[in-house]
Amino acid sequence: TPVIVEGALSSTQCGALCDTIVAECGSSPIDLQRKRSAGTDIYPVTLEQGLNFLMSSKHGDSVFAFCEGLLQQHSDSEEALEIVRSVLRQRREHIFQTSNSQQNDQAMDDPDWFEYFPIGAKPSDCLILAGEGASSTLHRDPFEWTGTSICLEGSKIWRFAPPPRAKNLQEMSVEDTCIRYRHQSGVHEIDEVLNAYRLDSVAWDEDKDEDTDSFTLSAGWQSDFSFYDNRHKSVPTARELADIEYEQSETKKVEVINEIATDPHKLRPNTKEVANQLWSGVQKSGDLIVIPAYWWHQTYALEPSLAVASQRCGAARDASRVIDHILGTVGDTEGINIPSILTKTDGYQNENPQDVVDELFSYLAKVKQSLPK
């Protein structure tokens, strides 16, 4: 189930990370989405300009930006951004390790296997800007990974649609989740209700050659429905929320946001089939949220926010699922046998991650070479 880890970062840490990101990436180009009833327009702006535009955002005319790879692209400021990435990585990984491994980052008992992927295939952190009234797309994640998000500024409402048989997954052993995870979850029933469609995600080009086609490794699921289709007139604006915090307290502001998050009449979904099943939560600055595979989710901002989304692939619960997703995306291939290590049904806890990943991408390279040019 989704988990919110409160106070994963202190307010001081959040402020320092925001300052560094703006200082090092403020002049970098991003695509800013302006969403209105007539449709969505895309504006090329700098990160710093995008942050300024957040202040004028409102429901029905909101701004949002999904800046994938931005924190990885700046060789001139590599040292400063590596500190940012390191702090975020340490806070994420801390919650996935046992007490035996927390003392030594080099001896983690459940390392993130994405760290062993080739650079061109490795999912990257994503900086997310959201002004008042902005919502993400309604989706479930590519690779069927475990997702994470750390909020650095502001707050966000999260709503989740659980897979119909989520309880089955909780009661299953690690080995069983590796074997029957997707069918046991019943997530395909939600996919159908939400009229889901697939969007290609990570594309891998082994040779980094502009003359060769990239190779799609993953595809996520998206829906045009919304968990926040209608906003009641009683919902306070970002300015009104700021006044509540100033005149009363931050605690009172969070109470107001929590009440709105759990009230389907204040923020009304337009999909009746799942409206009564939604899980809701509020992520504040410094909070880390963990998003399990198969859970459809969507965020909404009542005030401007800045967050970093990431993902992980642990050996116990993720590796079998991620590998199966990649093989399923690639599809059947004639004459190329899938290595037995990639078809394990009992998990990968006892396998060397580098060895398995090498086998995976060796197989994928053969498949890519066999495709018609």
Side-chain angles (χ1 to χ4, degrees):
T1 57
V3 175
I4 295 179
V5 181
E6 295 185 317
L9 290 173
S10 68
S11 58
T12 300
Q13 288 174 311
C14 288
L17 292 174
C18 287
D19 289 345
T20 301
I21 291 170
V22 173
E24 303 299 336
C25 306
S27 60
S28 300
I30 66 170
D31 288 332
L32 190 72
Q33 303 175 29
R34 183 181 182 186
K35 299 182 180 180
R36 292 175 285 183
S37 57
T40 300
D41 296 313
I42 307 296
Y43 298 93
V45 299
T46 66
L47 174 62
E48 192 163 7
Q49 289 172 330
L51 292 170
N52 290 332
F53 281 124
L54 294 186
M55 301 301 107
S56 59
S57 181
K58 60 184 179 180
H59 186 82
D61 188 3
S62 62
V63 296
F64 182 87
F66 192 81
C67 314
E68 193 166 11
L70 186 70
L71 301 181
Q72 278 83 13
Q73 294 176 351
H74 301 267
S75 58
D76 292 341
S77 51
E78 180 61 30
E79 184 176 350
L81 290 180
E82 177 53 35
I83 294 174
V84 171
R85 294 193 296 266
S86 177
V87 170
L88 295 174
R89 182 168 54 247
Q90 288 174 6
R91 299 318 301 160
R92 287 194 302 263
E93 289 301 309
H94 179 78
I95 66 173
F96 293 102
Q97 309 307 322
T98 67
S99 58
N100 292 330
S101 63
Q102 288 172 359
Q103 303 299 320
N104 185 356
D105 287 341
Q106 301 303 315
M108 293 191 298
D109 59 351
D110 190 23
D112 180 6
W113 281 34
F114 284 134
E115 293 297 322
Y116 299 90
F117 275 40
I119 294 297
K122 187 181 298 184
S124 60
D125 291 345
C126 180
L127 189 69
I128 300 175
L129 288 65
E132 179 193 349
S135 62
S136 66
T137 58
L138 175 57
H139 68 283
R140 65 181 179 96
D141 291 333
F143 279 115
E144 297 173 86
W145 57 38
T146 294
T148 66
S149 173
I150 297 181
C151 185
L152 300 179
E153 180 69 31
S155 64
K156 291 198 288 188
I157 292 173
W158 287 76
R159 283 180 175 171
F160 297 88
R165 291 180 288 280
K167 188 176 181 181
N168 290 2
L169 298 179
Q170 295 174 344
E171 296 174 348
M172 291 163 65
S173 67
V174 170
E175 289 76 12
D176 282 342
T177 60
C178 293
I179 301 169
R180 302 192 301 272
Y181 37 83
R182 192 180 300 117
H183 299 294
Q184 287 285 351
S185 75
V187 69
H188 294 313
E189 297 173 22
I190 300 293
D191 295 347
E192 292 177 6
V193 166
L194 294 177
N195 293 331
Y197 51 91
R198 304 297 298 275
L199 290 177
D200 288 349
S201 175
V202 172
W204 173 55
D205 183 357
E206 179 190 20
D207 302 319
K208 297 184 176 1
D209 187 344
E210 295 182 357
D211 295 329
T212 62
D213 293 332
S214 58
F215 191 49
T216 301
L217 302 183
S218 175
W221 291 257
Q222 188 164 304
S223 170
D224 292 330
F225 284 105
S226 174
F227 291 162
Y228 314 96
D229 182 61
N230 184 273
R231 171 171 163 158
H232 194 272
K233 62 182 180 181
S234 65
V235 173
T237 65
R239 171 56 64 185
E240 290 169 337
L241 286 172
D243 290 341
I244 292 173
E245 181 176 3
Y246 179 76
E247 296 171 2
Q248 300 183 52
S249 66
E250 182 182 6
T251 300
K252 180 59 180 176
K253 183 188 78 171
V254 173
E255 287 178 4
V256 171
I257 296 175
N258 268 304
E259 290 173 3
I260 296 167
T262 56
D263 188 340
H265 301 292
K266 295 288 182 66
L267 292 172
R268 183 176 300 164
N270 61 3
T271 169
K272 296 179 180 179
E273 291 85 348
V274 299
N276 295 327
Q277 306 170 29
L278 298 180
W279 292 37
S280 301
V282 175
Q283 182 188 29
K284 309 179 300 298
S285 176
D287 291 352
L288 181 151
I289 193 162
V290 179
I291 307 112
Y294 313 132
W295 287 66
W296 280 85
H297 52 280
Q298 187 177 24
T299 63
Y300 184 86
L302 286 175
E303 59 182 347
S305 68
L306 182 68
V308 178
S310 189
Q311 57 287 308
R312 82 183 310 276
C313 175
R317 291 191 178 274
D318 299 308
S320 290
R321 193 173 58 236
V322 169
I323 290 172
D324 183 68
H325 179 99
I326 293 173
L327 296 179
T329 302
V330 171
D332 295 333
T333 55
E334 295 184 6
I336 304 177
N337 295 323
I338 300 175
S340 59
I341 192 66
L342 303 181
T343 59
K344 285 174 61 67
T345 59
D346 56 352
Y348 286 89
Q349 300 92 309
N350 299 318
E351 301 294 338
N352 182 293
Q354 187 67 71
D355 292 344
V356 178
V357 171
D358 286 348
E359 284 279 4
L360 172 63
F361 280 89
S362 175
Y363 167 75
L364 293 174
K366 294 176 183 177
V367 172
K368 184 173 184 292
Q369 292 171 3
S370 71
L371 298 176
K373 301 299 183 182

